[in-house]
Amino acid sequence: IKTMGRLWILSKRHHQTARPYQLVTPSHEVAPLKEVFVDLAKSSMVDLFMETESNCLLEASGCKDTILLLFRFYDPHTETTRFIGHGLAQLEALASSLLPIFNHSIDRPRDSPLLMFEVVGHKGMVLKVDPSLTLRQLELINGDIIVFQIPPSGFFRFPTVPEFAKFKIMSK
């Protein structure tokens, strides 16, 4: 099975996480993967992320000012998060424009309410995303992770992403 994809160089962030930062050069895009690794190893850049069509939720290719975002879903019933996919988004898009896409990915009506959070560190730090702001106003960059969830109804041990993130850090 041949899968088309693009390679992104991973960058270590100040809080010791690694996220896709920039696409490999055009010459690397057409080279065999082994050659890409050998060439990037010369400059100590060998950690790569493969963006594939199979888990792409949105595509804004050809547009200026786009960023690669990674998406996760938190389920308070099971107290788990799972990777949903990735996508290229325009920086001028409102965060609310992601909601119909997220709802579709979890088989809910497009206009169903969702909560969104940005993962900002490895120590369980998450920020609530204001859907009325643009991605630029939220200061999102390549590789940022957006976690979304259905608003909790009823009692849960960890009803929202921030409580769950704190629990995961405290239990380590």
Side-chain angles (χ1 to χ4, degrees):
I1 299 173
K2 185 172 182 175
T3 302
M4 297 301 292
R6 297 186 307 174
L7 289 174
W8 291 75
I9 297 170
L10 290 177
S11 172
K12 288 214 188 302
R13 295 195 176 171
H14 68 279
H15 47 68
Q16 304 306 311
T17 60
R19 303 280 168 68
Y21 176 68
Q22 69 182 42
L23 284 167
V24 296
T25 64
S27 63
H28 286 134
E29 287 179 358
V30 296
L33 194 54
K34 186 175 181 177
E35 286 180 29
V36 174
F37 274 104
V38 169
D39 191 40
L40 292 176
K42 294 174 189 171
S43 61
S44 301
M45 297 186 297
V46 292
D47 294 327
L48 300 173
F49 170 78
M50 173 64 84
E51 175 192 358
T52 64
E53 293 174 3
S54 64
N55 60 7
C56 184
L57 297 183
L58 67 141
E59 181 67 43
S61 64
C63 300
K64 287 182 109 180
D65 294 331
T66 60
I67 54 172
L68 175 73
L69 297 173
L70 307 175
F71 307 120
R72 297 189 67 82
F73 173 69
Y74 171 63
D75 184 350
H77 295 280
T78 60
E79 297 179 359
T80 58
T81 64
R82 64 184 164 102
F83 180 73
I84 296 295
H86 69 275
L88 290 174
Q90 293 182 17
L91 283 169
E92 296 310 320
L94 291 175
S96 61
S97 69
L98 301 174
L99 295 174
I101 298 159
F102 293 158
N103 274 314
H104 178 74
S105 73
I106 57 172
D107 297 322
R108 289 176 38 98
R110 291 176 52 88
D111 60 349
S112 297
L114 290 173
L115 302 175
M116 292 185 290
F117 301 89
E118 176 193 1
V119 177
V120 293
H122 71 292
K123 295 187 177 182
M125 192 166 138
V126 295
L127 299 174
K128 188 167 186 182
V129 171
D130 180 343
S132 69
L133 296 178
T134 67
L135 303 181
R136 184 182 308 279
Q137 290 169 319
L138 292 166
E139 299 180 2
L140 297 178
I141 60 172
N142 282 327
D144 279 346
I145 300 171
I146 303 295
V147 182
F148 64 96
Q149 72 169 92
I150 298 167
S153 61
F155 177 78
F156 296 99
R157 191 164 70 138
F158 309 109
T160 64
V161 172
E163 289 91 356
F164 179 69
K166 286 178 192 167
F167 162 74
K168 292 300 280 184
I169 292 304
M170 298 303 279
S171 65
K172 286 187 178 184

